[in-house]
Amino acid sequence: MRWWGWGDPAHAAPPPAHALEWLEGRLGALGRERAPVALEEVRLPEPTLGAETGARLTELVGEDGVRADREARVLHAAGKGYPDLVRLRAGDASPAPDAVVWPRSHEEVRGVLELCAREGVAVVPFGGGTSVVGGVEPWRGSFGAVIALDLGRLDGLVELDERSLTVAVEPGLRGPELEALLEPRGLTLGHFPQSFEHISIGGAVATRSAGQASTGFGRIDDLVVGVRMASPSAELSLAAVPASAAGPDLRELVVGSEGVLGVITQATLRVRRRADEVRYEAWMLPSFEEGAEVLRELEQDGAAPDVTRLSDEAETEMSLALAGSGSWKQSLAHRYLRLRGVASGCLTILGWEDEPVRLRERRSAVNGALGRHGAVALGQSPGRAWARGRFHAPYLRDDLLARGVMVETLETATTWSQLASLHGAVREALEAHAPLVGCHVSHLYPTGASLYFTFLARQQEGEEIAQWQAAKRAASDAILAAGGTITHHHAVGRDHAGWLEREIGPTGIALLRAAKSELDPAGIMNPGKLLPPG
Amino acid sequence: MRWWGWGDPAHAAPPPAHALEWLEGRLGALGRERAPVALEEVRLPEPTLGAETGARLTELVGEDGVRADREARVLHAAGKGYPDLVRLRAGDASPAPDAVVWPRSHEEVRGVLELCAREGVAVVPFGGGTSVVGGVEPWRGSFGAVIALDLGRLDGLVELDERSLTVAVEPGLRGPELEALLEPRGLTLGHFPQSFEHISIGGAVATRSAGQASTGFGRIDDLVVGVRMASPSAELSLAAVPASAAGPDLRELVVGSEGVLGVITQATLRVRRRADEVRYEAWMLPSFEEGAEVLRELEQDGAAPDVTRLSDEAETEMSLALAGSGSWKQSLAHRYLRLRGVASGCLTILGWEDEPVRLRERRSAVNGALGRHGAVALGQSPGRAWARGRFHAPYLRDDLLARGVMVETLETATTWSQLASLHGAVREALEAHAPLVGCHVSHLYPTGASLYFTFLARQQEGEEIAQWQAAKRAASDAILAAGGTITHHHAVGRDHAGWLEREIGPTGIALLRAAKSELDPAGIMNPGKLLPPG
């Protein structure tokens, strides 16, 4: 993972000239391409971890388990949110941890947490480092020092129970590594967020991650059946039972706890048999409103595809305009507009993973409904192209950042009754801050759906963070006012902590604080995340 | 509801002579039928609620909202567990509340709780009163007085959102009342526990109830999307969103909280469209082990019926032997044994609720699998008979109690890997205490299933409670030792409170206590339930 951006440079695909032209037409002239500063030039604060504490940490996890060098500190200085990347590219790694610690076992995690609680050192659990909401930024709060606790060496498969279709894993195991272990047994976890190539399983559990196929399967909160968590003052172990009425479900207190209650050291998750057939296809729907209505009907009838994404008119236009030359979208953009004589339409991606007979039946029900609503089938090749590129959007962000474009995404979910008004309200709020705002529906539920917004504007030089904050604040206020959740799958982290109380009320906050006091009385765990400051 | 037993006397169906004969053959000679004592003879403790507190309660909820008469106190003295009924039938209502209070609104509940916290009066929330684990027994703990808080007047439908398929209701609304309100709109909650005819919706939420169709749909924890709870020191309100990553899901702290954290004053639940077709049928499977294996395959393939119950050999025999004369079971018992020349087999009930085409497809997949495993179809009429009588088993218990028979049920769930060993261990533990032990699998999940045990023995006169405790203790220990949950759908209440720590650990208990301290610092809410004493 690049320290200043996303992923593996080999996957980057610079935007084509016509895309940049179109962007300039909408945003105004873009800046020249600017590279991030060199690693050696990144500004790092003086480390403040006491030598004695450092020595004790080394005793606990071994010589190779503690690093305080520049590279390790910079790589753990932030996640992959827009403000993180803006700061890092400009050479600002001021929140960097004083040291990075790699424990190898539950017991070592417990030892490190006990030590840090005694010594007053803040601890930021670090899995894949892919948070886009500031979840792994090493804030030290009121503490004198802060360490990043990298779970990369705690990455084993503990037990695969093929009869019960569960797998117990350590938190640092990466998504692709787990899939590679499951594939030879014909199994899959099925949890595929856009960040899939870099996530850790512990991070997915700690952030209540969703996954692109989660209309059908793969929401992490639906997969977790057992957890083990190490906290500074205790450990919590909840065995894998299929269902229980033994009081409140405390697994649901661990899922989404974002490192503020402790470190997930093991998770037992449901796995599923790999599908015999996978099919992705694209459709053009006449309007966002009608499209959402078809999706509601399908979902409430139990007939929705596993992957379902419906772009609104603006996102459809943006998506076609930014597509690479020679791509299906490019030819579609021309062909569709000419053929239909319409200026708009809503691009829809549908995907199924199932055994062939069932897939055919499910697909035919969907086709019927879409046809009745005037949708036009675009076939499988655009669907396949989406599936191939499904993890690559963050690379485009790096390219746009280099050219002085603010590009950010945010997401929410609400009931079907409130979906249209929420869509309108958030769009309006964002349009005051960004000339380009796109949105798609994804993740259908019988009671509602999620909305995912993307917005672009030219960066205001020197004011990049304030510019972003203003847009983010406006959207977050609009989401809460319209009855949405502050986040459907990005988690709360640093960026949404100020809005959580509006969602769960002062009593909800008090309950989370009570749990934290019980498990982390010194308050060293991931300060400033999830819970509002104070 | 009868104060000494179950339900409406009109539904009682006394066991036929041949059933009693069979029972005597297995248990030894039964006693003569003994009626419960008359209401006037029930022993009640002197009420200890101060006159001033009583007057203040009346101010809060009105003259007709407070009762301290014999009938009201006896009706709220216990739930419907075996020890409850043994005591009540013998005229012992010693745990009766000092008064019963009927609030009409969330605000009145808050007022009563605040008053009781100030005055040191324990509060036991009372919905349908159907708990079989002592969940509504009015223990006063260390407090001078105890009231039952009957939610029967807080029973409105607040909002039906037909677009989002959700309904918001007050807690005292009964299951059948809600279904009657939903039916004209073509909707159903689909939550049908055996106690359905008497449950309150708030009680189902507070006890994490399952429902007989929950292999397909209807588990209450899967239906709750929003809650409002009144506690002595605060109120918690969580809006209905389809899914969220905004931290831990606090709804899951309210679901299953059994009145120890506060009173659920509103719940928003998913509803579903009523099925066009309902079909129940019965099968005979060659063995419990093989039957469980078929069910596992079906469930993991996403092909299980909505209702799935597989009795083991002993339960099958018991069920056929206890059936009424002229019933399908009776003729089956003769026909099957003669036809097959076998002495055993496992009775299986399957049920579907779906639209006709889909139902036919789902059923045909099941038929194929069952046929391959040597199952024999018994047709629809036994299935229909089961469906007609699905809520009536508690009546039989009353009849057997009258004849000096201990009859009790308990249940658990575990992974498929552990199911056979758990079945054997619990059966063995119970057989040391009861000559007749039956078990069925119900409630299938991809990772495991629940097991429901019924056991019968002649009562040891004068030692009825100790006799029951010994059997219950042995079974509960065996469940925990074999990796099961202490309860899959009956809840913890009084009877399982001593086992909860073995399931969720000291840290789990500490987290629940921390939540309770936050919401109920005086500890007046339902003392002695859910959390272990001390």
Side-chain angles (χ1 to χ4, degrees):
Chain A
M1 182 79 107
R2 293 186 270 204
W3 63 267
W4 53 264
W6 188 259
D8 177 354
H11 286 143
H18 69 83
L20 293 174
E21 254 170 61
W22 182 83
L23 270 182
E24 294 207 318
R26 301 297 294 265
L27 304 182
L30 303 183
R32 248 180 319 152
E33 196 171 348
R34 246 193 273 190
V37 303
L39 181 59
E40 298 69 42
E41 288 162 34
V42 173
R43 297 180 298 284
L44 274 174
E46 278 303 303
T48 58
L49 189 72
E52 206 175 317
T53 307
R56 288 204 188 130
L57 285 169
T58 304
E59 268 170 48
L60 284 167
V61 302
E63 280 290 345
D64 57 349
V66 183
R67 280 172 63 186
D69 56 90
R70 165 171 289 266
E71 190 192 11
R73 291 180 69 204
V74 171
L75 268 166
H76 294 81
K80 301 297 179 184
Y82 174 75
D84 298 331
L85 301 187
V86 166
R87 289 194 189 101
L88 285 176
R89 292 178 67 94
D92 174 8
S94 51
D98 296 301
V100 184
V101 176
W102 279 266
R104 284 161 303 196
S105 67
H106 171 85
E107 290 66 31
E108 286 189 4
V109 173
R110 285 276 284 143
V112 170
L113 298 187
E114 278 171 11
L115 173 69
C116 289
R118 260 196 326 271
E119 307 280 328
V121 175
V123 176
V124 180
F126 195 100
T130 61
S131 173
V132 290
V133 292
V136 294
E137 179 167 325
W139 279 6
R140 63 192 65 211
S142 56
F143 299 99
V146 57
I147 62 163
L149 193 76
D150 192 308
L151 298 157
R153 294 205 299 185
L154 197 50
D155 65 346
L157 188 154
V158 181
E159 194 198 352
L160 177 61
D161 178 348
E162 294 188 66
R163 270 185 81 73
S164 309
L165 292 181
T166 63
V167 65
V169 300
E170 289 179 330
L173 188 64
R174 301 301 154 122
E177 287 168 5
L178 176 55
E179 291 296 341
L181 291 168
L182 293 174
E183 190 179 2
R185 325 304 298 246
L187 299 171
T188 175
L189 183 67
H191 179 68
F192 299 115
Q194 192 178 64
S195 50
F196 167 71
E197 292 171 330
H198 298 278
I199 58 158
S200 70
I201 303 300
V205 174
T207 57
R208 214 171 257 278
S209 174
Q212 292 173 343
S214 74
T215 292
F217 55 84
R219 264 196 76 86
I220 207 84
D221 55 6
D222 190 42
L223 300 180
V224 173
V225 288
V227 284
R228 190 178 189 196
M229 183 167 73
S231 299
S233 74
E235 74 166 81
L236 178 67
S237 189
L238 300 166
V241 289
S244 172
D249 188 353
L250 296 175
R251 289 162 195 83
E252 296 284 348
L253 195 63
V254 174
V255 176
S257 57
E258 302 193 17
V260 308
L261 300 181
V263 177
I264 295 161
T265 56
Q266 190 172 309
T268 306
L269 303 150
R270 292 167 52 197
V271 294
R272 65 199 325 261
R273 302 230 166 75
R274 295 178 76 81
D276 301 322
E277 194 174 332
V278 173
R279 185 184 171 105
Y280 290 97
E281 55 190 49
W283 288 72
M284 195 64 97
L285 269 81
S287 77
F288 188 62
E289 205 176 332
E290 187 155 1
E293 196 56 23
V294 190
L295 298 190
R296 179 176 76 88
E297 281 171 24
L298 286 170
E299 172 67 17
Q300 292 184 342
D301 194 34
D306 299 316
V307 172
T308 317
R309 297 162 63 93
L310 163 70
S311 294
D312 67 4
E313 289 81 355
E315 184 172 285
T316 300
E317 188 194 349
M318 191 182 347
S319 165
L320 297 180
L322 294 180
S325 308
S327 72
W328 67 270
K329 281 185 185 169
Q330 261 291 298
S331 60
L332 171 72
H334 294 293
R335 197 154 38 98
Y336 186 78
L337 297 178
R338 237 180 298 130
L339 256 172
R340 302 253 130 202
V342 290
S344 71
C346 288
L347 190 57
T348 304
I349 300 291
L350 305 176
W352 295 263
E353 307 200 359
D354 212 329
E355 56 91 14
V357 174
R358 200 147 53 185
L359 193 152
R360 204 156 46 241
E361 284 165 9
R362 292 174 63 194
R363 212 184 128 245
S364 117
V366 171
N367 285 5
L370 290 177
R372 283 193 296 282
H373 285 267
V376 179
L378 303 177
Q380 285 190 76
S381 67
R384 286 199 207 103
W386 175 83
R388 270 196 307 277
R390 67 198 280 196
F391 305 132
H392 294 164
Y395 292 104
L396 177 61
R397 182 177 57 163
D398 284 336
D399 287 306
L400 294 176
L401 271 170
R403 286 174 172 86
V405 177
M406 170 173 82
V407 48
E408 172 65 314
T409 64
L410 52 86
E411 36 74 67
T412 178
T414 194
T415 59
W416 290 110
S417 294
Q418 298 179 117
L419 199 73
S421 60
L422 178 64
H423 176 240
V426 177
R427 165 169 285 292
E428 192 182 331
L430 283 171
E431 282 173 345
H433 299 269
L436 280 175
V437 178
C439 175
H440 64 260
V441 170
S442 58
H443 311 287
L444 312 184
Y445 304 89
T447 60
S450 71
L451 289 176
Y452 189 95
F453 291 88
T454 303
F455 57 97
L456 287 82
R458 258 199 315 175
Q459 285 185 333
Q460 291 163 11
E461 219 178 308
E463 299 293 329
E464 293 88 353
I465 302 296
Q467 176 192 19
W468 166 81
Q469 274 170 336
K472 181 78 183 164
R473 194 179 306 121
S476 299
D477 287 344
I479 284 171
L480 269 297
T485 173
I486 190 61
T487 172
H488 166 266
H489 61 268
H490 282 171
V492 177
R494 167 199 64 199
D495 296 353
H496 299 135
W499 280 268
L500 186 62
E501 184 164 339
R502 277 169 68 182
E503 179 158 345
I504 67 173
T507 304
I509 298 291
L511 284 167
L512 294 180
R513 285 200 200 285
K516 185 168 174 70
S517 295
E518 187 61 42
L519 301 175
D520 175 29
I524 60 164
M525 295 305 306
N526 214 4
K529 315 302 161 47
L530 181 61
L531 290 162
Chain B
M1 181 81 106
R2 294 187 268 203
W3 61 268
W4 53 264
W6 189 259
D8 177 354
H11 286 144
H18 70 83
L20 293 173
E21 253 169 62
W22 182 84
L23 269 183
E24 293 207 317
R26 300 297 296 264
L27 304 182
L30 302 182
R32 249 180 319 153
E33 195 171 349
R34 247 194 271 190
V37 304
L39 182 59
E40 299 70 40
E41 288 163 33
V42 173
R43 298 180 299 285
L44 272 174
E46 278 303 304
T48 57
L49 189 72
E52 205 176 316
T53 308
R56 288 207 189 128
L57 284 169
T58 305
E59 268 170 48
L60 283 168
V61 300
E63 280 290 346
D64 57 348
V66 183
R67 281 173 62 186
D69 57 275
R70 165 171 289 268
E71 191 192 13
R73 291 180 68 204
V74 170
L75 268 166
H76 294 81
K80 300 296 179 188
Y82 174 75
D84 298 331
L85 300 187
V86 166
R87 289 195 188 102
L88 286 175
R89 291 179 69 94
D92 174 8
S94 50
D98 296 302
V100 184
V101 177
W102 279 266
R104 285 161 302 197
S105 67
H106 171 85
E107 290 67 31
E108 285 189 5
V109 173
R110 286 277 284 142
V112 170
L113 299 188
E114 278 171 10
L115 173 69
C116 289
R118 258 195 328 270
E119 307 279 330
V121 175
V123 176
V124 180
F126 195 100
T130 60
S131 172
V132 289
V133 291
V136 295
E137 180 168 325
W139 280 6
R140 63 193 65 211
S142 55
F143 298 99
V146 58
I147 61 163
L149 192 75
D150 191 309
L151 298 158
R153 295 204 300 185
L154 196 51
D155 65 346
L157 187 154
V158 182
E159 195 198 350
L160 177 61
D161 178 348
E162 295 188 66
R163 271 185 79 73
S164 309
L165 292 182
T166 63
V167 65
V169 300
E170 289 179 330
L173 189 63
R174 301 303 154 120
E177 288 168 4
L178 176 55
E179 290 296 342
L181 291 168
L182 294 174
E183 190 179 3
R185 324 305 296 249
L187 299 172
T188 175
L189 184 67
H191 178 69
F192 299 116
Q194 191 177 65
S195 51
F196 167 72
E197 291 171 329
H198 298 278
I199 58 158
S200 69
I201 303 300
V205 174
T207 57
R208 214 171 257 277
S209 175
Q212 291 172 343
S214 74
T215 292
F217 54 85
R219 263 196 77 85
I220 208 83
D221 56 7
D222 189 43
L223 299 180
V224 173
V225 288
V227 285
R228 190 178 189 195
M229 183 166 75
S231 299
S233 73
E235 74 166 79
L236 178 65
S237 188
L238 299 167
V241 288
S244 171
D249 188 353
L250 296 174
R251 288 161 196 84
E252 296 284 347
L253 195 64
V254 174
V255 176
S257 58
E258 302 192 18
V260 308
L261 300 181
V263 177
I264 294 162
T265 56
Q266 189 173 310
T268 306
L269 303 149
R270 292 167 51 194
V271 294
R272 64 199 325 261
R273 301 232 166 75
R274 295 178 76 82
D276 300 322
E277 194 174 333
V278 172
R279 184 184 172 106
Y280 289 96
E281 55 189 50
W283 289 72
M284 195 65 97
L285 270 79
S287 77
F288 189 62
E289 204 176 331
E290 187 156 2
E293 196 56 21
V294 190
L295 299 190
R296 179 176 76 87
E297 281 170 25
L298 286 169
E299 171 68 17
Q300 291 184 341
D301 194 35
D306 299 318
V307 173
T308 316
R309 295 163 64 95
L310 163 69
S311 294
D312 67 5
E313 287 82 355
E315 184 173 285
T316 300
E317 188 194 348
M318 191 182 348
S319 165
L320 296 180
L322 294 180
S325 307
S327 72
W328 67 270
K329 280 185 186 170
Q330 261 292 299
S331 60
L332 171 71
H334 293 293
R335 197 154 39 95
Y336 186 77
L337 296 180
R338 234 180 301 128
L339 255 172
R340 303 252 129 204
V342 290
S344 72
C346 289
L347 191 58
T348 303
I349 301 290
L350 305 177
W352 294 263
E353 307 200 359
D354 212 328
E355 56 90 15
V357 174
R358 201 148 52 186
L359 194 151
R360 203 155 49 240
E361 285 165 7
R362 292 175 62 194
R363 211 185 128 246
S364 117
V366 171
N367 285 5
L370 290 177
R372 282 193 297 280
H373 286 265
V376 179
L378 304 177
Q380 285 190 76
S381 68
R384 284 198 209 103
W386 174 83
R388 269 196 308 279
R390 64 196 283 194
F391 306 130
H392 294 163
Y395 292 106
L396 178 61
R397 181 176 58 163
D398 285 335
D399 288 305
L400 295 176
L401 271 171
R403 287 173 172 87
V405 176
M406 170 173 81
V407 50
E408 172 66 314
T409 63
L410 53 86
E411 35 76 65
T412 178
T414 194
T415 58
W416 291 110
S417 294
Q418 297 180 116
L419 199 73
S421 60
L422 178 63
H423 176 240
V426 177
R427 165 169 286 292
E428 190 183 333
L430 284 171
E431 281 172 347
H433 299 269
L436 280 175
V437 179
C439 175
H440 64 260
V441 170
S442 58
H443 311 286
L444 313 184
Y445 303 89
T447 59
S450 71
L451 289 176
Y452 189 94
F453 291 89
T454 303
F455 57 96
L456 286 83
R458 257 199 318 173
Q459 285 186 331
Q460 292 162 11
E461 219 177 308
E463 299 293 328
E464 293 87 353
I465 302 295
Q467 176 192 19
W468 167 81
Q469 274 170 335
K472 181 78 183 166
R473 194 178 308 121
S476 299
D477 287 343
I479 284 171
L480 268 297
T485 173
I486 190 62
T487 172
H488 167 265
H489 62 268
H490 281 172
V492 176
R494 166 199 65 199
D495 297 354
H496 298 135
W499 279 268
L500 186 62
E501 185 165 339
R502 277 169 66 181
E503 180 158 345
I504 67 172
T507 305
I509 298 291
L511 284 168
L512 294 179
R513 285 200 200 286
K516 185 167 174 73
S517 295
E518 186 62 41
L519 300 175
D520 174 29
I524 60 164
M525 296 306 305
N526 214 5
K529 314 303 159 46
L530 181 61
L531 290 162

